[in-house]
Structure formats: C-alpha cells, structure tokens
Amino acid sequence: MIIRTRKPSDVPSSEITPEDVYVNRRRFIRDAAVGTAALAFAPNVLDASESDPRQQVPARFQNMKSELDEDLNPYEHITEYNNFYEFGAQKEDPARNAGDFRPRPWTVRIEGHVNKPGDYQLEDFIGPSNMEDRVYRMRCVEAWSVVVPWRGFPLSDVINRAEPTGDAKYIEFKTVVRPSEMPGQRTRMLDWPYVEGLRMDEAMNPLTLMTTGVYGMDLPNQNGAPLRLIMPWKYGFKGIKSIVSMNFVEEMPRNTWWVQNRREYGFYANVNPEVDHPRWTQARERRLGELRRRRTLMFNGYTEQVESMYAGMDLTRWI
Ligand SMILES: Nc1nc2c(c(=O)[nH]1)N[C@H]1C(S)=C(S)[C@@H](COP(=O)(O)O)O[C@H]1N2
Ligand SMILES: [Mo]
C-alpha cells in the first residue's frame, strides 16, 4: 500500500502542544551565526519566524518517508516552485504573486447529475475528524517530481454526499475566476477558468484526495488554497487548484490543457515513462533538490492501486 494515513485523532495529545514545531536547520544556523549581535533585534527576529510557516512544520513529519522510502521534500520546495498560471507562468511567480488572494470564505457549487446539488461551504466538507496526512509522490509532465505530505480527505466523501445519478459519468472541476486577485487572469495565457475532469471511477478511487493542506497546515495560496485535487498517478496538471465548482456530467469534459494542446496533454494523463511527450522524454525525472535524474515509474509507482481502471485501454494513445 502506498497510502500513509494518520488521522489527527491518532496523534497522541503529547504531540499537539505549542512546542509542536521543530526549528529547522536553516534558522538554527542563522541564529547561531548571528549570535549575541542579534540580541537587540531579538523581538523582531522571533515575530518574523513565528509567522513563517516554514518554521512551524509539526514534529511528526521530521522522519517521515514515502512508501518507497524516499525523503519528503522540504516545505520550501513544495511552496516556492509551483505551476499556477493564474499567478504567472514562471515557477517562482505563484509564491511571489499570490499574497492578495483570499481563500476564505469559500463556496463550492455542486451541480449536474446529482440528487443533492447546491452551494456548499468549505466547512461542510472538512472537519477535525476527516483529515488525513498522505505522503504522495508527485510527477509534473515537465519531468520534475516532488514528495509531499498532503492533508485532505477522499474525494469520494464529497461524491457520496452529492448522490450522483446513473447519468453522471465524469466530473468537471473549475478554478475560481478572480482577475483582481490573480494577475495571470488579467492576461490571455490560458482560457479562464482553468478546467479539469476525471472519469467517475478515477474520482472515486481511494487515492484521489481533496486536498486542504501540506505538512499539516492549510495550503498556501500558491498551492491551490483552500481546496485542490491530487491524483498521484497522473501528471501534476490534473491536480486543479482553488476549486469552486464540480459539475457531474455525461460527456468527457474538455480540460484546459487538452483544449490548449491535445497532442501534448491527453485527458487521462497517466504517468507513463514509455510514452514520450512530443518534445521530451518521460522516462526520467528530476526530483526537486537532486541533480541526478531518477527513472520514472509506471503510474508514478501506484500501478497496483490504479491499473485495473485502465484495462483494455491503449495507454500509448491515452497517455
Ligand atoms: N488552477 C490551476 N491549477 C493547476 C495549475 C494551474 O496553472 N492552474 N497547474 C497544474 C500543474 S501543471 C501542476 S504541475 C500542479 C502543480 O501543483 P503544485 O504547485 O502544488 O506543486 O498544479 C496543477 N494545477
Ligand atoms: Mo505540471
């Protein structure tokens, strides 16, 4: 099993204390190096680090590994190297430009072939009892990868609540449109809103995570606050961010990257090292923080949990 699950209710109360932070090495070294000269400025230094989520990573993550015994990427890799075109096309843009985005209050519209359509508040889905940490390997179509301790709940929870009818074959997801807070949406880089889709069995798969956090803390804006999708066996672009609508439909949704360039980005977008992207190989990947490239695994290492969903499909055609 690849899922590594731990509910907050399983965390011994001794672990949930105000001291439940570990001082990262960088800060330790910085403070040590600054030494007594820093004393006059000590209050400022403390204030800055207390509001900095990099300094608040809970201790339970310190020695956590992926199921394949890989180290987690540090918080900085996950939150400072992003794809989120709503905030710009460069990897550094989202962290730099997402500061004005307001992820709360947040409403998600559920519509289409369901018995319980409506506008749901974020709080209708999430609560202290249904959150899990899950360490997932992520693989971007651009051939970089990262190991992330996400926090969230199964997408199937939302689907079961919505009660889809027999006509619901796919779910179409949309990202919020707020050009005043999202500078990328003031350009025509992509057609807004960003759209993504899953087939119903993919959406119901236990690996598919509605994600609200990383390293046990709320998602930063650049990672898709307050709610985004994660399917670890698919290329990263399927993981739509800042979701405001879920439409249960009969036809295959026309997702953003498919519309943009269907030759390069298929609907299924399952990680497959044997099928090259038209402009580069998908056989290897660069893990953020490493120099030597790793071999990419079929379905990003999640074959056992997902391959039966694609039995009989031509995986070279459907990437
Ligand atoms: N709305 C929206 N969602 C998006 C994107 C985007 O540009 N806009 N980029 C996708 C791509 S290409 C990737 S690789 C992942 C990156 O997620 P991360 O920045 O949290 O690593 O988000 C995906 N979700
Ligand atoms: Mo990506």
XYZ file of all heavy atoms in Angstrom, residues 83 91 139-142 144 194 235-238 257, ligand 2:
127
model
N 3.425 25.449 -10.307
C 2.680 25.788 -11.506
C 1.295 26.235 -11.087
O 0.558 25.469 -10.455
C 2.546 24.568 -12.437
C 3.669 24.483 -13.443
O 4.326 25.484 -13.737
N 3.899 23.306 -13.976
N 7.954 29.409 -12.497
C 7.806 28.591 -11.287
C 7.844 29.422 -10.001
O 7.302 29.020 -8.980
C 8.906 27.526 -11.238
C 8.888 26.569 -12.428
C 7.709 25.634 -12.365
C 7.644 24.701 -13.560
N 7.213 25.358 -14.816
N 4.417 13.927 -9.891
C 5.235 13.957 -11.108
C 4.598 14.949 -12.069
O 3.456 14.786 -12.500
C 5.275 12.544 -11.703
C 5.896 12.394 -13.080
C 7.382 12.750 -13.081
N 8.092 12.164 -14.229
C 8.019 12.630 -15.484
N 7.278 13.667 -15.765
N 8.713 12.027 -16.437
N 5.342 16.014 -12.397
C 4.853 17.003 -13.363
C 5.204 16.528 -14.765
O 6.212 15.855 -14.969
C 5.503 18.358 -13.095
S 5.040 19.650 -14.271
N 4.386 16.877 -15.738
C 4.646 16.496 -17.123
C 5.958 17.112 -17.620
O 6.584 16.603 -18.542
C 3.428 16.876 -18.013
C 3.385 18.370 -18.263
C 3.419 16.101 -19.322
N 6.405 18.175 -16.952
C 7.677 18.799 -17.324
C 8.886 18.049 -16.764
O 10.002 18.560 -16.826
C 7.718 20.250 -16.836
C 6.673 21.126 -17.490
C 6.478 22.435 -16.744
O 5.934 22.414 -15.630
O 6.884 23.478 -17.276
N 9.749 17.042 -13.625
C 10.258 17.177 -12.259
C 9.283 16.480 -11.321
O 8.110 16.263 -11.653
C 10.481 18.635 -11.839
C 9.343 19.596 -12.081
C 9.107 20.289 -13.237
C 8.294 19.972 -11.177
N 7.981 21.058 -13.096
C 7.461 20.891 -11.838
C 7.984 19.626 -9.850
C 6.342 21.468 -11.251
C 6.864 20.205 -9.266
C 6.060 21.113 -9.952
N -9.656 27.803 -15.450
C -8.951 26.528 -15.596
C -9.967 25.420 -15.321
O -10.742 25.484 -14.366
C -7.843 26.487 -14.565
C -6.812 25.370 -14.686
C -5.575 25.607 -15.267
C -7.043 24.104 -14.146
C -4.595 24.604 -15.323
C -6.074 23.101 -14.201
C -4.855 23.365 -14.793
O -3.893 22.385 -14.832
N -0.090 13.032 -14.185
C 0.759 14.216 -14.265
C 0.110 15.358 -13.492
O -1.123 15.478 -13.422
C 1.006 14.607 -15.718
C 1.883 13.602 -16.446
C 1.417 12.870 -17.523
C 3.191 13.378 -16.008
C 2.220 11.940 -18.170
C 4.005 12.443 -16.645
C 3.517 11.728 -17.719
O 4.319 10.815 -18.343
N 0.965 16.216 -12.924
C 0.514 17.240 -11.972
C -0.587 18.144 -12.473
O -1.392 18.641 -11.682
N -0.660 18.356 -13.799
C -1.638 19.332 -14.288
C -3.077 18.898 -14.050
O -3.987 19.725 -14.081
C -1.384 19.707 -15.755
C -1.643 18.626 -16.779
C -2.926 18.406 -17.266
C -0.596 17.862 -17.289
C -3.158 17.440 -18.240
C -0.823 16.899 -18.266
C -2.101 16.678 -18.736
N -3.301 17.586 -13.796
C -4.660 17.143 -13.479
C -5.116 17.655 -12.108
O -6.310 17.664 -11.821
C -4.756 15.610 -13.479
C -4.499 14.929 -14.814
C -5.580 15.165 -15.848
C -6.853 14.392 -15.609
N -7.824 14.555 -16.736
N -5.788 21.891 -20.490
C -4.568 21.584 -21.254
C -4.888 20.790 -22.504
O -4.177 20.887 -23.507
C -3.535 20.878 -20.368
C -2.968 21.849 -19.380
C -3.249 21.925 -18.052
C -2.069 22.933 -19.661
N -2.577 22.984 -17.485
C -1.853 23.616 -18.448
C -1.441 23.399 -20.824
C -1.024 24.733 -18.348
C -0.608 24.506 -20.726
C -0.401 25.158 -19.510
Mo 2.637 20.307 -14.373
